[in-house]
Amino acid sequence: GIQVEQSPPDLILQEGANSTLRCNFSDSVNNLQWFHQNPWGQLINLFYIPSGTKQNGRLSATTVATERYSLLYISSSQTTDSGVYFCAAFTGNQFYFGTGTSLTVIP
Amino acid sequence: DSGVTQTPKHLITATGQRVTLRCSPRSGDLSVYWYQQSLDQGLQFLIQYYNGEERAKGNILERFSAQQFPDLHSELNLSSLELGDSALYFCASSVAMQGYTFGSGTRLTVV
């Protein structure tokens, strides 16, 4: 299977700050998604982004498939953004998940 | 609401027992994927079913099995449970060009 690496592993932000999370993957993929796992364990789909750029409110994502990386931008962070952010690359018949970035936003 | 329904949300059982987890995919989705999230292994793919047939297998133990029924709901059966099977179990379904959506998970605790 492919390797999916996320950085940084941990991030602490002051409310209102901006951040960039990175995901590198080792091979070509059919699909790339970003998920947010909230404190209750739910995996929330943020972006389906095999290539290009998408924006949804304060969040945006960019995937450069030819260079095998994706970025998730969080602007004007809020305490409700806290949780773990996973990048998942789909190839073959399964997702390969990164180990996540644990984000804590402090008021 | 993701549209993918998992029951039960929580399950506590003893070692050696057998449990069944249930998943109903979004309306119209033919695929169901099962994933396990444990503290030491992260999120791992277990198995995929498509329209009632097994399509792909991942790191699924022999003590675990799954099936998908004609109404497309799926069940994951875990038997001879061990402490290390304690984890969050997710199922997911997909729609072309929209990506995969996960259910809210079943938290299994083996004591």
Side-chain angles (χ1 to χ4, degrees), chain A residues 80-91:
Chain A
T80 51
D81 295 331
S82 296
V84 182
Y85 289 81
F86 288 101
C87 158
F90 191 90
T91 184

Side-chain angles (χ1 to χ4, degrees), chain B residues 16-65:
Chain B
Q17 295 298 305
R18 172 189 167 96
V19 297
T20 297
L21 314 183
R22 183 187 170 107
C23 169
S24 294
R26 288 181 305 188
S27 177
D29 289 358
L30 301 179
S31 279
V32 170
Y33 301 78
W34 286 98
Y35 285 80
Q36 178 195 56
Q37 184 179 29
S38 60
L39 282 175
D40 56 343
Q41 298 286 336
L43 272 154
Q44 292 204 81
F45 169 67
L46 296 178
I47 197 164
Q48 178 207 359
Y49 276 80
Y50 180 86
N51 203 18
E53 295 195 0
E54 182 184 303
R55 181 64 71 89
K57 255 186 177 177
N59 299 321
I60 187 166
L61 300 172
E62 287 192 10
R63 300 184 285 108
F64 296 0
S65 64

Side-chain angles (χ1 to χ4, degrees), chain A residues 2-107:
Chain A
I2 66 171
Q3 305 301 313
V4 180
E5 295 179 354
Q6 291 186 245
S7 60
D10 299 282
L11 191 56
I12 300 175
L13 296 176
Q14 198 77 39
E15 199 169 24
N18 303 327
S19 62
T20 301
L21 282 56
R22 186 177 179 102
C23 170
N24 294 328
F25 42 98
S26 61
D27 206 343
S28 301
V29 299
N30 304 116
N31 175 15
L32 193 290
Q33 285 187 248
W34 284 94
F35 296 92
H36 174 216
Q37 188 166 36
N38 63 25
W40 296 270
Q42 292 179 303
L43 277 170
I44 311 298
N45 183 12
L46 297 177
F47 292 103
Y48 164 76
I49 187 162
S51 64
T53 298
K54 289 186 178 179
Q55 179 151 10
N56 184 3
R58 296 180 296 103
L59 302 182
S60 64
T62 295
T63 297
V64 183
T66 52
E67 297 186 23
R68 298 179 186 165
Y69 74 88
S70 183
L71 302 173
L72 177 69
Y73 305 96
I74 304 174
S75 64
S76 304
S77 59
Q78 300 176 358
T79 55
T80 51
D81 295 331
S82 296
V84 182
Y85 289 81
F86 288 101
C87 158
F90 191 90
T91 184
N93 282 309
Q94 64 173 287
F95 267 122
Y96 294 87
F97 280 83
T99 51
T101 292
S102 178
L103 173 64
T104 303
V105 180
I106 54 177

